[in-house]
Amino acid sequence: MRTIFLLITFLIASASYSFAQYAYFPNYGEIQYEKTIFVKNLLKRYVGMMEDENVDMFTRLSNEVPETVVQKSKLAFEGDKYTFEEFDEDFSGTLGMLKGSGLLGFLSTYQVDLASGTSERLFDFVGQNVIIEDSLQNITWKLTDEYREIAGYECRRANGVVFDSISVVAFYTEQIPHSLGPNTSHGLPGAILGYVVPQLHFHIYATKINVIKPTFATINAKKAERLDHDEFSRIIKTNFGNFFTGKLFDYFLSIIFL
């Protein structure tokens, strides 16, 4: 009888310990991501929207680039604040030109305050440091019953729409109950560990989660011009409006802001 009692006690203690492990929700930490851009497909979409002499140039460029490129990034969070830092990759030749022109997006550092619903984003625009001050984008989410494991965490799929017409797919985990994600993606009951944007031909997946006191990225505002979303859109229109017209211009803006 004593043996049975000890066995039951051990099983209950083991179950409680396992549950406690599973139920531990970190309030801070760092998430490492990798972003894969399908460059050839991206350029083919550009070509499909063009109606001028640039078609031949972009067709040639699409033959010179690899199928994909990978960019690494880190999200550091604590409470309602987080930073998202994209790391520079040594792209040369055609890829370097595409990166410099913003066609692969601008390498950025984000500071996000979920409580106030605001963000700051620093990046280099044509040799000038720019900080975009903005409210967090509104994403309409619909949860699904699809699950997958990412970086050791169980994640649930959610389908979303941003900028009224861009479809996105997110995989979030409630084991990290903070409404955060790559760039400024948010609005789900857990951290987004997978983020897919088919129309822009990229996806971002977490590769490692460290439950440690985070090292936050900093935004050096020295000599940086502060603009809001609309002001920067007008500058983009002035600098690139003759090169990207119609739907192509709107698509270019989506890459920059998403």
Side-chain angles (χ1 to χ4, degrees):
M1 175 67 74
R2 176 178 173 79
T3 301
I4 295 175
F5 176 79
L6 290 174
L7 177 61
I8 292 173
T9 301
F10 174 77
L11 291 174
I12 291 174
S14 298
S16 299
Y17 177 71
S18 298
F19 177 78
Q21 280 187 310
Y22 179 81
Y24 174 68
F25 298 139
N27 188 50
Y28 56 78
E30 295 183 350
I31 305 173
Q32 297 176 19
Y33 292 92
E34 286 189 355
K35 176 181 181 180
T36 300
I37 305 173
F38 296 85
V39 187
K40 281 189 179 294
N41 291 340
L42 182 64
L43 290 182
K44 287 177 182 177
R45 185 178 286 262
Y46 270 116
V47 170
M49 294 181 181
M50 289 180 172
E51 301 175 351
D52 53 26
E53 65 277 5
N54 293 314
V55 169
D56 291 338
M57 181 186 72
F58 273 81
T59 300
R60 176 177 54 80
L61 291 177
S62 66
N63 293 326
E64 297 176 357
V65 296
E67 291 286 344
T68 62
V69 295
V70 176
Q71 296 177 326
K72 296 183 179 181
S73 53
K74 185 190 80 173
L75 187 154
F77 70 94
E78 184 167 11
D80 289 327
K81 299 182 185 296
Y82 73 90
T83 62
F84 184 77
E85 179 182 14
E86 297 177 309
F87 299 116
D88 197 9
E89 304 290 342
D90 187 18
F91 295 152
S92 58
T94 300
L95 279 178
M97 183 274 290
L98 292 175
K99 185 181 81 169
S101 66
L103 292 174
L104 301 182
F106 289 112
L107 202 68
S108 302
T109 299
Y110 298 81
Q111 290 183 341
V112 180
D113 188 331
L114 294 169
S116 65
T118 59
S119 70
E120 291 186 339
R121 176 191 179 190
L122 172 69
F123 58 95
D124 183 311
F125 176 68
V126 196
Q128 169 68 43
N129 283 336
V130 174
I131 294 177
I132 304 297
E133 300 174 326
D134 205 357
S135 56
L136 296 182
Q137 57 191 312
N138 182 38
I139 309 176
T140 303
W141 294 110
K142 182 178 181 181
L143 305 187
T144 77
D145 292 326
E146 180 182 340
Y147 293 83
R148 70 168 61 176
E149 184 178 296
I150 300 175
Y153 285 75
E154 183 183 66
C155 297
R156 184 177 184 178
R157 173 173 174 165
N159 298 328
V161 176
V162 64
F163 300 146
D164 297 325
S165 60
I166 303 293
S167 297
V168 298
V169 175
F171 292 91
Y172 72 95
T173 178
E174 293 187 9
Q175 292 173 259
I176 305 176
H178 296 269
S179 181
L180 50 81
N183 302 333
T184 60
S185 57
H186 69 290
L188 290 167
I192 296 173
L193 301 187
Y195 193 67
V196 184
V197 188
Q199 288 165 265
L200 302 186
H201 300 285
F202 75 79
H203 63 229
I204 305 173
Y205 284 103
T207 57
K208 188 176 183 180
I209 291 92
N210 295 315
V211 184
I212 58 175
K213 272 292 185 180
T215 301
F216 289 104
T218 57
I219 288 182
N220 184 1
K222 193 176 288 187
K223 296 183 180 180
E225 185 175 5
R226 288 185 173 270
L227 303 166
D228 63 24
H229 185 286
D230 292 337
E231 288 171 333
F232 186 67
S233 294
R234 286 193 291 270
I235 290 175
I236 292 290
K237 184 70 173 177
T238 300
N239 284 272
F240 296 98
N242 293 329
F243 190 67
F244 297 121
T245 58
K247 291 182 178 179
L248 185 57
F249 179 74
D250 293 335
Y251 189 72
F252 183 52
L253 281 183
S254 297
I255 288 178
I256 292 174
F257 287 113
L258 194 61

